[in-house]
Amino acid sequence: MFNPCSLCPASCCKTYIITTTSFDVQRVCQATGKKHEEFAVLHELRLLNYDPDMVLNTTDRYGHYILGFKSHPCTFLENNRCSIYESAPLSCRHFPYTVGNMNTRFCPLPSQLFFRLKGPETDKTILLTELKLYKEIVKEWNEKSGTKDDCINFLLGSSISH
């Protein structure tokens, strides 16, 4: 089926910090052969909208972080297209649909219309299931805490065991 993103200049990938889960990072590592250090990082929590159940507390100077991709725009954006779409974070593959509605403010009008007709690329239940599991991992981390490096290792290790 036609992909509405093909009509877009990739504004979402250039504008947003791509937040992710440890499951997404594992998928990207497996698909690309890259190490997580090459593309994933804990961003200082300076976002206006975020899910508090995904905030990671550490003993480092800033203390509150969220897992995401390093570069901005997205490191996997090539010629305004996602080079890893099949293994991209579920939130990217579900975009512009959020858990509750649709956010097409960065999408050109033709894309918005096609998105309304097409529906999400991924099954919302898969996204919700992974988010629930990831929030449990975050909660487990926040109960123990440690440094940023300890945190990423804990997240990735925990996502493998779930």
Side-chain angles (χ1 to χ4, degrees):
M1 177 172 240
F2 175 74
N3 184 350
C5 290
S6 65
L7 301 172
C8 182
S11 297
C12 56
C13 304
K14 294 174 183 174
T15 305
Y16 290 133
I17 291 174
I18 308 299
T19 58
T20 186
T21 69
S22 53
F23 299 104
D24 295 323
V25 172
Q26 290 289 358
R27 266 193 298 277
V28 172
C29 287
Q30 290 172 348
T32 65
K34 291 183 180 248
K35 294 181 179 181
H36 71 86
E37 298 92 346
E38 296 178 62
F39 64 91
V41 68
L42 292 179
H43 290 278
E44 293 173 23
L45 190 61
R46 291 188 276 167
L47 307 171
L48 291 177
N49 289 321
Y50 59 89
D51 184 338
D53 292 332
M54 293 177 71
V55 174
L56 298 150
N57 300 319
T58 70
T59 56
D60 294 90
R61 180 176 167 202
Y62 294 103
H64 304 291
Y65 297 90
I66 197 155
L67 184 61
F69 282 175
K70 270 186 182 177
S71 66
H72 191 76
C74 179
T75 189
F76 295 106
L77 189 63
E78 295 175 4
N79 298 318
N80 287 338
R81 297 291 168 259
C82 181
S83 64
I84 60 160
Y85 189 76
E86 293 303 317
S87 59
L90 288 180
S91 60
C92 293
R93 293 183 14 224
H94 201 72
F95 191 83
Y97 305 90
T98 61
V99 172
N101 56 16
M102 190 164 79
N103 177 8
T104 57
R105 73 175 186 216
F106 291 113
C107 301
L109 184 60
S111 294
Q112 290 179 32
L113 297 172
F114 280 113
F115 275 122
R116 291 188 192 287
L117 293 171
K118 181 181 181 224
E121 185 74 26
T122 60
D123 183 352
K124 184 165 111 175
T125 57
I126 295 169
L127 175 63
L128 290 173
T129 300
E130 265 194 22
L131 284 174
K132 181 181 177 196
L133 287 171
Y134 181 67
K135 289 175 183 183
E136 290 172 10
I137 293 169
V138 168
K139 182 179 179 185
E140 186 179 341
W141 165 258
N142 285 339
E143 289 171 356
K144 79 179 240 140
S145 200
T147 67
K148 282 174 55 179
D149 290 337
D150 294 338
C151 182
I152 288 183
N153 292 329
F154 176 84
L155 294 174
L156 296 178
S158 294
S159 65
I160 291 172
S161 64
H162 277 83

